[in-house]
Amino acid sequence: MARVKGVESVATRHLSTQPAEQHHRRRFLDAALAVLTDRGVAGLTVRGVAERAGASTITVYTRFGGRVGLLDALYERAFDLLREDLQAVPPETDDGIADLLEVAQAYRRFAMASPARYGLMFERSVHDYDPDPALRAGVVATTFVEFVTKINRVSPPGVSARDCAYLLWTSMHGLVSVELTIRSQSHIEDWFLDPTAEAHGRMYRHGVLAMITGLGLRN
């Protein structure tokens, strides 16, 4: 994770940053993500992660300092993955609005790929876990800069790109959260849209474009 002024990365607080140590750390975090995806929050225990990684619980405690340290590192890793997905969108074009929409679509794909991971990041799904404040500040500064950068290109003079980024993200988050909830439940008749990924995708795109228009963003 990139260093941010005034923010100390959890990775540097909890363990060595030597390459070999980082490799072992990644192995445990990959195991934790797999447990979270396959078994949900209920399975996200030190024992469950240790078993998935083929290691002992004492090894997890040694590397992460306990369950909170493991959750902090997993939280950070999840945002690293989101940032990587946002940065992997096609190169910028002359159409700044289309480029911004690409980032918005990448955000939705990330959420749909693992609802449990998305819940850990944004929904307080682990009820007794409160991410470290410095960590939260760090992931916001390094991840959501992708939105601010794209919005800077299409913001009218005198308009705060940071404010627009926040408003656009909250709209995206709301649409994604509702979609995840609705798709996890039995379908009801006369709902606003069909219970398909395609229908939700069209509605998401429509909502994002409506917010972009409402904010006055333009090429």
Side-chain angles (χ1 to χ4, degrees), residues 26 38 47 55 70 101 129 144 153 174 177 203:
R26 180 66 58 82
D38 295 345
R47 181 178 297 278
L70 175 62
L101 185 59
Y129 170 61
F144 291 99
R153 297 180 59 214
S177 296
M203 186 63 72

PDB file of all heavy atoms in Angstrom, residues 26 38 47 55 70 101 129 144 153 174 177 203:
ATOM      1  N   ARG A  26       1.119 -12.469   2.466  1.00  0.00           N
ATOM      2  CA  ARG A  26       0.158 -12.548   1.379  1.00  0.00           C
ATOM      3  C   ARG A  26      -0.534 -13.912   1.372  1.00  0.00           C
ATOM      4  O   ARG A  26      -1.737 -13.995   1.084  1.00  0.00           O
ATOM      5  CB  ARG A  26       0.870 -12.306   0.046  1.00  0.00           C
ATOM      6  CG  ARG A  26      -0.034 -12.358  -1.179  1.00  0.00           C
ATOM      7  CD  ARG A  26      -1.052 -11.246  -1.204  1.00  0.00           C
ATOM      8  NE  ARG A  26      -0.424  -9.952  -1.156  1.00  0.00           N
ATOM      9  CZ  ARG A  26       0.093  -9.311  -2.216  1.00  0.00           C
ATOM     10  NH1 ARG A  26       0.049  -9.870  -3.412  1.00  0.00           N
ATOM     11  NH2 ARG A  26       0.632  -8.121  -2.072  1.00  0.00           N
ATOM     12  N   ASP A  38     -15.918 -17.920   0.908  1.00  0.00           N
ATOM     13  CA  ASP A  38     -16.572 -19.226   0.937  1.00  0.00           C
ATOM     14  C   ASP A  38     -17.487 -19.425   2.146  1.00  0.00           C
ATOM     15  O   ASP A  38     -18.535 -20.060   2.043  1.00  0.00           O
ATOM     16  CB  ASP A  38     -15.524 -20.344   0.941  1.00  0.00           C
ATOM     17  CG  ASP A  38     -14.713 -20.387  -0.349  1.00  0.00           C
ATOM     18  OD1 ASP A  38     -15.149 -19.764  -1.338  1.00  0.00           O
ATOM     19  OD2 ASP A  38     -13.645 -21.030  -0.360  1.00  0.00           O
ATOM     20  N   ARG A  47      -8.560 -19.461  13.685  1.00  0.00           N
ATOM     21  CA  ARG A  47      -8.462 -20.895  13.411  1.00  0.00           C
ATOM     22  C   ARG A  47      -8.847 -21.209  11.964  1.00  0.00           C
ATOM     23  O   ARG A  47      -8.179 -21.992  11.292  1.00  0.00           O
ATOM     24  CB  ARG A  47      -9.352 -21.678  14.376  1.00  0.00           C
ATOM     25  CG  ARG A  47      -9.279 -23.201  14.172  1.00  0.00           C
ATOM     26  CD  ARG A  47     -10.141 -23.915  15.188  1.00  0.00           C
ATOM     27  NE  ARG A  47      -9.663 -23.682  16.533  1.00  0.00           N
ATOM     28  CZ  ARG A  47      -8.665 -24.342  17.104  1.00  0.00           C
ATOM     29  NH1 ARG A  47      -8.019 -25.283  16.408  1.00  0.00           N
ATOM     30  NH2 ARG A  47      -8.301 -24.071  18.333  1.00  0.00           N
ATOM     31  N   ALA A  55      -1.571 -23.871   8.277  1.00  0.00           N
ATOM     32  CA  ALA A  55      -0.630 -23.474   9.326  1.00  0.00           C
ATOM     33  C   ALA A  55      -1.319 -23.580  10.684  1.00  0.00           C
ATOM     34  O   ALA A  55      -2.499 -23.908  10.790  1.00  0.00           O
ATOM     35  CB  ALA A  55      -0.153 -22.048   9.084  1.00  0.00           C
ATOM     36  N   LEU A  70      -5.146  -9.310  12.206  1.00  0.00           N
ATOM     37  CA  LEU A  70      -5.465 -10.019  10.977  1.00  0.00           C
ATOM     38  C   LEU A  70      -6.552  -9.283  10.199  1.00  0.00           C
ATOM     39  O   LEU A  70      -6.454  -9.108   8.976  1.00  0.00           O
ATOM     40  CB  LEU A  70      -5.929 -11.437  11.304  1.00  0.00           C
ATOM     41  CG  LEU A  70      -6.429 -12.280  10.125  1.00  0.00           C
ATOM     42  CD1 LEU A  70      -5.320 -12.496   9.108  1.00  0.00           C
ATOM     43  CD2 LEU A  70      -6.977 -13.626  10.616  1.00  0.00           C
ATOM     44  N   LEU A 101     -16.859   6.684 -16.261  1.00  0.00           N
ATOM     45  CA  LEU A 101     -17.831   5.597 -16.230  1.00  0.00           C
ATOM     46  C   LEU A 101     -17.121   4.239 -16.163  1.00  0.00           C
ATOM     47  O   LEU A 101     -17.601   3.315 -15.501  1.00  0.00           O
ATOM     48  CB  LEU A 101     -18.740   5.672 -17.455  1.00  0.00           C
ATOM     49  CG  LEU A 101     -19.890   4.653 -17.510  1.00  0.00           C
ATOM     50  CD1 LEU A 101     -20.804   4.807 -16.299  1.00  0.00           C
ATOM     51  CD2 LEU A 101     -20.680   4.829 -18.800  1.00  0.00           C
ATOM     52  N   TYR A 129     -15.679  -5.325  15.003  1.00  0.00           N
ATOM     53  CA  TYR A 129     -14.422  -4.872  14.416  1.00  0.00           C
ATOM     54  C   TYR A 129     -14.557  -3.436  13.911  1.00  0.00           C
ATOM     55  O   TYR A 129     -15.420  -3.124  13.090  1.00  0.00           O
ATOM     56  CB  TYR A 129     -14.012  -5.776  13.248  1.00  0.00           C
ATOM     57  CG  TYR A 129     -12.860  -5.233  12.435  1.00  0.00           C
ATOM     58  CD1 TYR A 129     -11.613  -5.004  13.018  1.00  0.00           C
ATOM     59  CD2 TYR A 129     -13.023  -4.922  11.085  1.00  0.00           C
ATOM     60  CE1 TYR A 129     -10.559  -4.496  12.277  1.00  0.00           C
ATOM     61  CE2 TYR A 129     -11.982  -4.421  10.332  1.00  0.00           C
ATOM     62  CZ  TYR A 129     -10.752  -4.207  10.933  1.00  0.00           C
ATOM     63  OH  TYR A 129      -9.711  -3.688  10.198  1.00  0.00           O
ATOM     64  N   PHE A 144      -9.431   6.256  -3.179  1.00  0.00           N
ATOM     65  CA  PHE A 144     -10.425   7.145  -3.770  1.00  0.00           C
ATOM     66  C   PHE A 144      -9.807   8.294  -4.546  1.00  0.00           C
ATOM     67  O   PHE A 144     -10.518   9.054  -5.208  1.00  0.00           O
ATOM     68  CB  PHE A 144     -11.391   7.630  -2.698  1.00  0.00           C
ATOM     69  CG  PHE A 144     -12.268   6.516  -2.212  1.00  0.00           C
ATOM     70  CD1 PHE A 144     -11.995   5.850  -1.043  1.00  0.00           C
ATOM     71  CD2 PHE A 144     -13.344   6.083  -2.979  1.00  0.00           C
ATOM     72  CE1 PHE A 144     -12.773   4.791  -0.620  1.00  0.00           C
ATOM     73  CE2 PHE A 144     -14.133   5.033  -2.574  1.00  0.00           C
ATOM     74  CZ  PHE A 144     -13.850   4.381  -1.386  1.00  0.00           C
ATOM     75  N   ARG A 153     -10.753  15.891 -14.387  1.00  0.00           N
ATOM     76  CA  ARG A 153     -10.699  16.148 -15.829  1.00  0.00           C
ATOM     77  C   ARG A 153     -12.010  16.698 -16.372  1.00  0.00           C
ATOM     78  O   ARG A 153     -12.022  17.315 -17.445  1.00  0.00           O
ATOM     79  CB  ARG A 153     -10.352  14.863 -16.583  1.00  0.00           C
ATOM     80  CG  ARG A 153      -8.997  14.269 -16.277  1.00  0.00           C
ATOM     81  CD  ARG A 153      -8.781  13.003 -17.094  1.00  0.00           C
ATOM     82  NE  ARG A 153      -8.874  13.265 -18.526  1.00  0.00           N
ATOM     83  CZ  ARG A 153      -9.357  12.397 -19.412  1.00  0.00           C
ATOM     84  NH1 ARG A 153      -9.842  11.237 -19.013  1.00  0.00           N
ATOM     85  NH2 ARG A 153      -9.391  12.705 -20.692  1.00  0.00           N
ATOM     86  N   GLY A 174     -24.516   3.209  -2.806  1.00  0.00           N
ATOM     87  CA  GLY A 174     -25.921   2.937  -2.533  1.00  0.00           C
ATOM     88  C   GLY A 174     -26.515   1.967  -3.540  1.00  0.00           C
ATOM     89  O   GLY A 174     -27.205   1.009  -3.172  1.00  0.00           O
ATOM     90  N   SER A 177     -24.949  -1.524  -2.950  1.00  0.00           N
ATOM     91  CA  SER A 177     -25.424  -2.149  -1.709  1.00  0.00           C
ATOM     92  C   SER A 177     -26.846  -2.676  -1.856  1.00  0.00           C
ATOM     93  O   SER A 177     -27.165  -3.787  -1.404  1.00  0.00           O
ATOM     94  CB  SER A 177     -25.356  -1.148  -0.551  1.00  0.00           C
ATOM     95  OG  SER A 177     -24.014  -0.782  -0.285  1.00  0.00           O
ATOM     96  N   MET A 203     -29.370  -0.458 -14.720  1.00  0.00           N
ATOM     97  CA  MET A 203     -29.847   0.528 -13.764  1.00  0.00           C
ATOM     98  C   MET A 203     -28.681   1.252 -13.094  1.00  0.00           C
ATOM     99  O   MET A 203     -28.737   2.466 -12.869  1.00  0.00           O
ATOM    100  CB  MET A 203     -30.727  -0.143 -12.713  1.00  0.00           C
ATOM    101  CG  MET A 203     -31.391   0.832 -11.747  1.00  0.00           C
ATOM    102  SD  MET A 203     -32.550   1.970 -12.579  1.00  0.00           S
ATOM    103  CE  MET A 203     -33.903   0.840 -12.958  1.00  0.00           C
TER     104      MET A 203
END
